[in-house]
C-alpha cells in the first residue's frame, strides 16, 4: 500500500511554526488497520485457488433473486455461500480479491478482520495510524538515548502515583515529546 499526502497551500494563513513535508509512505512489512468488522467464511468471503474473495453479498443474492425461480432461490438461500456460488457461477460479484501468499494456507480461518477502506473500496492508512508509528519511532529513539534505567524509573513513578488509566502516560508523554503551555504539541495530540 502506498499513501501520499500533499499539504494544502498555506498562502492565506499565518506562518506556521511547524515545517510541512510532502511524503510518500510505502508499507514494507505486512500492515493491517482494521475497521472493526469480522468477515465470516462462506458468508462474507470464500477462497478460490490462491485468492481470498470478499463478496458483495447483496449483489450475489440480488442477482440470484432476479435470475432464479422462487423455489430454487429459497433452496439456495439455506446453503453456504460457497455452494451457492459454485451452483450459479456468481464469483464475478466480488467486492475485491486479495492474493494468498505462496505457501500460506487458508485452513482454520473461519473469520478474518476486514481492513479499513475508503468510499471507493480502496484500503488506506489513516493519518492517526501514521502519526502513531512516528510517535513510536521517536519514543523508541528517545528511550535508547536516555537508557533503560531512566525509562524504568519513570514507569515506577507513574505506577506509584496511581493515576486514572486514561492519564497514566501523560507525564511520560510530556517528558518525551515536551510541554506546551495552553495546548499540546503536534506530536502530543
Amino acid at each position: 500500500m502506498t499513501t501520499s499526502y500533499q499539504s494544502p497551500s498555506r498562502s492565506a494563513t499565518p506562518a506556521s511554526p511547524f515545517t510541512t513535508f510532502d511524503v510518500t509512505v510505502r508499507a514494507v512489512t505486512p500492515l493491517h488497520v482494521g475497521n472493526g468488522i469480522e468477515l465470516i467464511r462462506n458468508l462474507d468471503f470464500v477462497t478460490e485457488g490462491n485468492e481470498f474473495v470478499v463478496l458483495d453479498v447483496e449483489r450475489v443474492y440480488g442477482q440470484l433473486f432476479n435470475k432464479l425461480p422462487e423455489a430454487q432461490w429459497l433452496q439456495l438461500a439455506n446453503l453456504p455461500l460457497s455452494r451457492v456460488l459454485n451452483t450459479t457461477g456468481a464469483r464475478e460479484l466480488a467486492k475485491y480479491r486479495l492474493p494468498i501468499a505462496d505457501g500460506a494456507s487458508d485452513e482454520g480461518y473461519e473469520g478474518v478482520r476486514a481492513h479499513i477502506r475508503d468510499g471507493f473500496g480502496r484500503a488506506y492508512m489513516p493519518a492517526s495510524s501514521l502519526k502513531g508509528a512516528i510517535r513510536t519511532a521517536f519514543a523508541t529513539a528517545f528511550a535508547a538515548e536516555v537508557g533503560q534505567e531512566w525509562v524504568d524509573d519513570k514507569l515506577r513513578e507513574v505506577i506509584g502515583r496511581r493515576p486514572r488509566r486514561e492519564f497514566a502516560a501523560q507525564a511520560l508523554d510530556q517528558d518525551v515529546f515536551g510541554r506546551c503551555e495552553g495546548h499540546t504539541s503536534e506530536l502530543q495530540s
Side-chain angles (χ1 to χ4, degrees), residues 50-52 97-101:
N50 62 348
E51 282 191 316
F52 175 85
R97 295 170 173 265
L98 297 171
I100 297 173

Side-chain angles (χ1 to χ4, degrees), residues 86-155:
N86 288 338
T87 304
T88 63
R91 288 194 186 273
E92 70 277 0
L93 298 175
K95 281 185 184 176
Y96 56 92
R97 295 170 173 265
L98 297 171
I100 297 173
D102 290 338
S105 170
D106 69 334
E107 296 298 317
Y109 290 102
E110 296 306 312
V112 297
R113 299 190 190 286
H115 196 288
I116 193 166
R117 295 185 174 272
D118 67 12
F120 298 104
R122 300 174 300 203
Y124 75 98
M125 181 178 12
S128 58
S129 296
L130 181 58
K131 181 177 175 181
I134 292 169
R135 284 175 52 89
T136 299
F138 280 136
T140 301
F142 180 83
E145 188 175 305
V146 297
Q148 188 63 44
E149 186 177 332
W150 183 90
V151 173
D152 292 344
D153 289 344
K154 280 294 179 182
L155 291 174

Side-chain angles (χ1 to χ4, degrees), residues 7-188:
S7 64
S9 170
R10 296 187 179 260
S11 59
T13 60
S16 171
F18 303 104
T19 304
T20 303
F21 299 94
D22 292 331
V23 298
T24 298
V25 177
R26 186 172 60 97
V28 294
T29 61
L31 172 69
H32 181 268
V33 180
N35 66 2
I37 296 173
E38 183 167 348
L39 303 175
I40 300 168
R41 181 188 292 274
N42 292 328
L43 179 60
D44 300 304
F45 76 91
V46 294
T47 55
E48 184 177 63
N50 62 348
E51 282 191 316
F52 175 85
V53 183
V54 177
L55 299 160
D56 187 336
V57 178
E58 290 81 14
R59 281 181 57 206
V60 170
Y61 283 108
Q63 181 173 341
L64 293 175
F65 185 77
N66 291 332
K67 281 185 170 181
L68 301 174
E70 184 177 348
Q72 192 176 3
W73 190 88
L74 290 173
Q75 264 184 325
L76 291 175
N78 293 319
L79 293 175
L81 193 54
S82 59
R83 294 223 8 236
V84 171
L85 295 175
N86 288 338
T87 304
T88 63
R91 288 194 186 273
E92 70 277 0
L93 298 175
K95 281 185 184 176
Y96 56 92
R97 295 170 173 265
L98 297 171
I100 297 173
D102 290 338
S105 170
D106 69 334
E107 296 298 317
Y109 290 102
E110 296 306 312
V112 297
R113 299 190 190 286
H115 196 288
I116 193 166
R117 295 185 174 272
D118 67 12
F120 298 104
R122 300 174 300 203
Y124 75 98
M125 181 178 12
S128 58
S129 296
L130 181 58
K131 181 177 175 181
I134 292 169
R135 284 175 52 89
T136 299
F138 280 136
T140 301
F142 180 83
E145 188 175 305
V146 297
Q148 188 63 44
E149 186 177 332
W150 183 90
V151 173
D152 292 344
D153 289 344
K154 280 294 179 182
L155 291 174
R156 277 192 286 280
E157 183 183 313
V158 168
I159 291 168
R161 282 196 316 268
R162 296 185 181 261
R164 286 183 30 201
R165 182 178 182 175
E166 61 269 24
F167 301 115
Q170 195 171 46
L172 182 59
D173 188 74
Q174 289 175 347
D175 285 339
V176 173
F177 297 109
R179 290 173 171 75
C180 294
E181 295 301 319
H183 66 283
T184 58
S185 75
E186 288 295 309
L187 286 172
Q188 284 179 323

